[in-house]
Amino acid sequence: MNDIDVKFMRLALQDARKGLGRTSPNPAVGAVITRKGKVIAKGYHRRAGLPHAEVEALNRLGNSFPGDTLYVTLEPCNHVGRTPPCTQAILKSGIRRVVVGMKDPNPMVAGMGCEFLRERGVEVLTGVLESECQKLNEDFLKFVTSKRPFIIAKSALTMDGWIATSSGQSKWVTNDKSREFVHRLRDRIDAVMVGIGTILADDPSLTTRLKRGKGRDPLRIVVDTHMRTPINAKVVKHNSSADTLIVTSERAAFENQHRFQAKGVSTLTCPTRAGRIDLAALMARLGEMSVMSLLVEGGASIIGTLLREKLIDKFYIFKAPKLLGGDDGIPMATGPGAKRMDESLILKEIKVRRFGDDILIRGYPAY
């Protein structure tokens, strides 16, 4: 690996980011073709079913590229899916050198694309900016290795640690800039999930509202064991191309689901544990539905359960310069927590960002 390889892989990563939130259940991938140290074509995977990044870049030139170098953020596929194998297209093009960011994390195919090309005389270099490529597709990596969605927990807290007042009122803890960032998160994930408490307290629409109006709404999921969601809730009376899914118990669904089916709202029955939806079982069901990424926006009970069951993969915690000034607010998580400070969950790979006077802390749990 040299500086030139790093430079062009960074360009491939830039293109790959253009596909974030649009390729699920596929990864976001970028590709760059160079000739004598100059970029002659670029491409990225735009959506599942459309050409992969390598093929899109190759198609931009439409002829052979003997001696050229292809940079791609993910190992070229060597199997038939919705599209033909990228390895075949690479061989046909005459490209003699392929630089790969990360190998395919799917244990069924990992390394096969690189090995196929090497066996046919193509020089293959792997692991260039590997950690950056893996971070870009952290949701895909989790999904293909566990068949579970990558779970992001988002919370907005006052400076003294509350997500809402004692009456349940939480609009608004954070400022407009912070909320705009959350809408950009929604635009990039497959599903957003809240508990029935959030629906009853805030009546959110859970749609993506960006200033330029180009946002994509995720699947809206409400965890509602006893099916208490009001028939006139915004997630029911939604004006969106995305679906709403109410996760409930079998008995509650049997008694109430007809009311929501008439509104075009789907229900999903799930096992319960201690009188509440078994969230681990729910994650397995969502994986079967090809939900690759999930943004959990509350409430405190769901966040607490996910924490105790070690299901959260990433945290976005906003801190606003506000103080409720009492001890009766609603915390980020409810339920039993650590008894000792050294038993606390540690967050790693911390990054801090400012949105006006708000502070965003991003971190990964060190389970």
Side-chain angles (χ1 to χ4, degrees):
M1 179 173 61
N2 53 47
D3 291 343
I4 297 298
D5 290 335
V6 170
K7 171 187 173 181
F8 290 126
M9 186 60 71
R10 289 200 188 283
L11 291 180
L13 277 165
Q14 287 178 13
D15 254 38
R17 292 187 182 97
K18 296 177 183 178
L20 284 173
R22 303 296 183 268
T23 62
S24 180
N26 291 350
V29 183
V32 169
I33 300 172
T34 66
R35 178 179 297 164
K36 296 180 180 179
K38 294 184 179 180
V39 175
I40 60 173
K42 296 191 294 182
Y44 69 96
H45 186 38
R46 297 173 182 269
R47 191 172 68 248
L50 293 184
H52 290 182
E54 307 95 309
V55 173
E56 184 174 270
L58 291 169
N59 287 344
R60 288 188 181 280
L61 295 179
N63 54 20
S64 62
F65 319 100
D68 292 344
T69 298
L70 168 69
Y71 293 85
V72 61
T73 56
L74 179 71
E75 176 182 9
C77 65
N78 191 42
H79 59 280
V80 177
R82 294 190 188 181
T83 59
C86 292
T87 51
Q88 296 286 358
I90 292 169
L91 285 178
K92 184 178 179 181
S93 72
I95 280 178
R96 304 309 301 162
R97 183 170 185 258
V98 176
V99 180
V100 175
M102 63 177 282
K103 290 187 177 181
D104 194 319
N106 188 335
M108 300 297 292
V109 299
M112 292 183 181
C114 292
E115 189 60 29
F116 179 88
L117 293 173
R118 286 193 181 103
E119 290 174 350
R120 285 152 183 81
V122 178
E123 178 188 348
V124 179
L125 174 65
T126 61
V128 177
L129 297 184
E130 182 177 34
S131 60
E132 288 91 333
C133 293
Q134 290 174 338
K135 192 68 70 179
L136 178 75
N137 280 303
E138 57 191 5
D139 52 356
F140 175 73
L141 198 156
K142 163 81 179 292
F143 181 71
V144 298
T145 55
S146 70
K147 305 303 180 185
R148 303 289 191 276
F150 184 86
I151 302 175
I152 304 167
K154 167 257 165 183
S155 290
L157 311 174
T158 62
M159 202 59 71
D160 49 352
W162 307 110
I163 64 170
T165 65
S166 57
S167 65
Q169 202 269 337
S170 63
K171 292 184 177 180
W172 296 102
V173 175
T174 53
N175 62 30
D176 290 344
K177 293 181 179 179
S178 295
R179 296 198 297 276
E180 171 78 7
F181 178 82
V182 173
H183 284 283
R184 293 201 300 270
L185 280 180
R186 289 180 183 174
D187 179 57
R188 290 186 171 186
I189 50 90
D190 291 340
V192 58
M193 186 173 84
V194 298
I196 180 59
T198 299
I199 297 296
L200 296 175
D202 297 338
D203 192 22
S205 61
L206 301 179
T207 54
T208 299
R209 300 180 297 281
L210 297 174
K211 291 180 180 179
R212 296 182 181 179
K214 295 182 179 180
R216 179 189 59 83
D217 291 343
L219 169 69
R220 276 76 53 83
I221 301 175
V222 180
V223 179
D224 184 3
T225 307
H226 304 293
M227 219 151 185
R228 295 185 293 147
T229 300
I231 199 68
N232 62 347
K234 290 179 181 177
V235 292
V236 175
K237 296 168 56 179
H238 58 84
N239 180 21
S240 171
S241 59
D243 292 333
T244 294
L245 177 68
I246 297 179
V247 181
T248 190
S249 63
E250 185 173 355
R251 178 176 178 178
F254 177 77
E255 296 174 349
N256 298 283
Q257 65 180 344
H258 64 280
R259 296 190 301 129
F260 294 94
Q261 288 175 343
K263 297 286 187 178
V265 173
S266 302
T267 57
L268 174 67
T269 59
C270 215
T272 58
R273 185 194 302 175
R276 296 183 177 183
I277 296 297
D278 185 333
L279 294 182
L282 172 58
M283 294 308 123
R285 296 291 301 276
L286 293 180
E288 293 171 358
M289 295 167 56
S290 294
V291 174
M292 189 167 76
S293 54
L294 175 68
L295 177 64
V296 180
E297 296 197 28
S301 176
I302 284 182
I303 295 293
T305 301
L306 291 172
L307 275 168
R308 285 185 292 277
E309 297 189 16
K310 300 180 179 180
L311 295 174
I312 299 173
D313 299 295
K314 187 176 186 178
F315 287 88
Y316 283 106
I317 301 174
F318 291 88
K319 297 283 282 187
K322 298 177 180 178
L323 299 170
L324 292 191
D327 63 356
D328 58 350
I330 298 176
M332 172 180 166
T334 56
K339 299 295 184 183
R340 296 164 46 90
M341 193 57 66
D342 58 8
E343 295 173 346
S344 300
L345 175 62
I346 304 297
L347 298 187
K348 60 183 181 179
E349 300 180 48
I350 295 295
K351 283 194 175 181
V352 179
R353 184 174 175 181
R354 288 280 297 270
F355 292 97
D357 290 333
D358 290 350
I359 299 169
L360 169 62
I361 301 168
R362 187 217 73 184
Y364 297 84
Y367 292 129

